[in-house]
Amino acid sequence: MRPRSIFATLGTLLLLSTPATGQDAKLVERGAYLMNSIVACGNCHVRRDKDWRPLPALGLSGGMLFDEEPFKAYARNITPDRETGIGKWTDAQLIRAIREGIRPDGTVIGPPMPIAFYRGMSDADAQALVAYLRAQPPVKNVVPKSEYRMQLPPAYGPPIKEKIVAPPRTDLIAYGAYLAGPLGHCIDCHTPWVQGIPDLKRVGSGGNALKGPWGVTVSRNLTPHESGLKGWSDAEIARAIREGKSRNGSALRPPMAFDWYKNINDEDMKALLAYLRSLKPLPLGGEPAAAKK
Ligand code: HEC
Ligand code: HEC
């Protein structure tokens, strides 16, 4: 081997093993913003005390139980612990798990993780989330196995082969739809479910009963209808999302991720508002008024 190529090889190795190059630091920064605001994986994957308050020091080490018919699912440890977390997974394996719901061993991740929405997450944002996850301290926590008394789908769709790019930020409504769907899954909770699947003909009209340690809450109507957000100012809607206060100032209850949404920046909030205002006005739960004789 000529000396020149030895140096070239060394240079490549150094580049590969240097942790925080500018590019990586940017990715982690974007991942931290997403994770601590609109995406809020932590709303499910964080550890909590018995009053359901997050324990941020234990990171995304999982364990939260979702006890619903027909499953008993435990959110998993997604810290980089090699034995009990995702420390042994490659970036590509993690992205596949998040967007396609398939683990490295080929098994399918069950509900309530909103995989159907995450499928639309851009390559860049998925990479940023993974970079953030890798930058976290590993936390050991063995999580019980989930029990699904139902047939899990073999997959949530065909393998993702094409490149996924987010809509341009200049298109406020389209970017807002990206925030409310693939990144934030607002639309998952706020669209009426038919057998657990959001009925996209009634987008945003709410009416789903959500059960948990907090009791039962019903997702609200986010469309510009009398029973929804018609007449609300931008500031009132933003306050509901960031601070969990309804229009009359009353506190909204879980499971919305207020602890994370408080960090949604103004630019993203503007796009979210533009999108919500663009929804077709529908009554709560979306039943067409004409059908109610
Ligand atoms: C609504 C709750 C919820 C949200 C939001 C959520 N998850 Fe999950 N996640 C779960 C549950 C529950 C499981 C376990 C499912 C099972 O056992 O099949 C899981 C499993 C996983 C797994 C598989 C880990 C393993 O060891 O099998 C990964 C990886 C993961 N989630 C990452 C994420 C990331 C990253 C996000 C945010 C982009 C996220 N999750 C958002 C509930 C959630
Ligand atoms: C995990 C389910 C879930 C997710 C995800 C979710 N919400 Fe909610 N949201 C609810 C529930 C349930 C309520 C009603 C809480 C109550 O009744 O106290 C609510 C209330 C609201 C309200 C208050 C409306 C009113 O009439 O007071 C707004 C606005 C809202 N959500 C917007 C959003 C937006 C925007 C997102 C995404 C960034 C989002 N939600 C994500 C479940 C969810």
Side-chain angles (χ1 to χ4, degrees), residues 76-97:
R76 315 229 15 118
N77 181 350
I78 55 170
T79 72
D81 185 62
R82 290 182 66 79
E83 304 311 320
T84 64
I86 47 82
K88 288 180 182 157
W89 299 22
T90 66
D91 288 4
Q93 286 172 335
L94 268 168
I95 292 177
R96 185 161 186 238

Side-chain angles (χ1 to χ4, degrees), residues 126-147:
Q127 278 155 10
L129 287 174
V130 166
Y132 172 86
L133 288 176
R134 294 231 183 275
Q136 301 311 298
V139 177
K140 226 173 235 350
N141 185 32
V142 180
V143 172
K145 211 172 142 41
S146 304
E147 286 167 39

Side-chain angles (χ1 to χ4, degrees), residues 11 19 45-46 60 79 85 90 95 109 212 224 226-228 247 269 275 290:
H45 283 276
V46 83
L60 301 175
T79 72
T90 66
I95 292 177
I109 298 173
E226 280 79 15
S227 65
R247 198 180 189 193
M269 186 57 78
Y275 168 69

Side-chain angles (χ1 to χ4, degrees), residues 16-228:
L16 286 174
S17 59
T18 310
T21 59
Q23 173 66 9
D24 284 359
K26 268 221 179 72
L27 267 186
V28 175
E29 194 187 319
R30 169 79 180 151
Y33 168 70
L34 290 173
M35 195 59 103
N36 293 308
S37 63
I38 182 79
V39 179
C41 311
N43 197 34
C44 292
H45 283 276
V46 83
R47 294 259 282 278
R48 294 180 190 259
D49 67 14
K50 49 184 195 337
D51 299 319
W52 216 64
R53 279 183 304 241
L55 300 168
L58 295 174
L60 301 175
S61 55
M64 196 190 301
L65 167 65
F66 300 84
D67 193 358
E68 294 169 31
E69 202 45 52
F71 57 79
K72 231 180 158 159
Y74 294 89
R76 315 229 15 118
N77 181 350
I78 55 170
T79 72
D81 185 62
R82 290 182 66 79
E83 304 311 320
T84 64
I86 47 82
K88 288 180 182 157
W89 299 22
T90 66
D91 288 4
Q93 286 172 335
L94 268 168
I95 292 177
R96 185 161 186 238
I98 298 167
R99 293 201 302 200
E100 299 183 42
I102 311 230
R103 296 188 183 86
D105 66 3
T107 55
V108 169
I109 298 173
M113 187 159 149
I115 308 280
F117 287 89
Y118 292 160
R119 272 186 80 79
M121 194 186 282
S122 76
D123 294 359
D125 285 339
Q127 278 155 10
L129 287 174
V130 166
Y132 172 86
L133 288 176
R134 294 231 183 275
Q136 301 311 298
V139 177
K140 226 173 235 350
N141 185 32
V142 180
V143 172
K145 211 172 142 41
S146 304
E147 286 167 39
Y148 291 98
R149 296 177 298 278
M150 59 189 269
Q151 192 72 45
L152 290 182
Y156 294 89
I160 297 176
K161 295 215 176 86
E162 72 283 13
K163 203 169 153 46
I164 305 185
V165 179
R169 283 183 172 274
T170 44
D171 186 341
L172 279 188
I173 294 178
Y175 196 78
Y178 176 67
L179 290 167
L183 289 186
H185 72 283
C186 319
I187 290 315
D188 186 16
C189 288
H190 284 278
T191 299
W193 291 321
V194 180
Q195 288 169 342
I197 297 166
D199 174 6
L200 296 180
K201 289 200 289 294
R202 296 184 279 159
V203 162
S205 61
N208 290 317
L210 300 161
K211 201 176 73 153
W214 57 87
V216 177
T217 47
V218 177
S219 65
R220 308 268 176 111
N221 184 355
L222 302 185
T223 74
H225 182 269
E226 280 79 15
S227 65

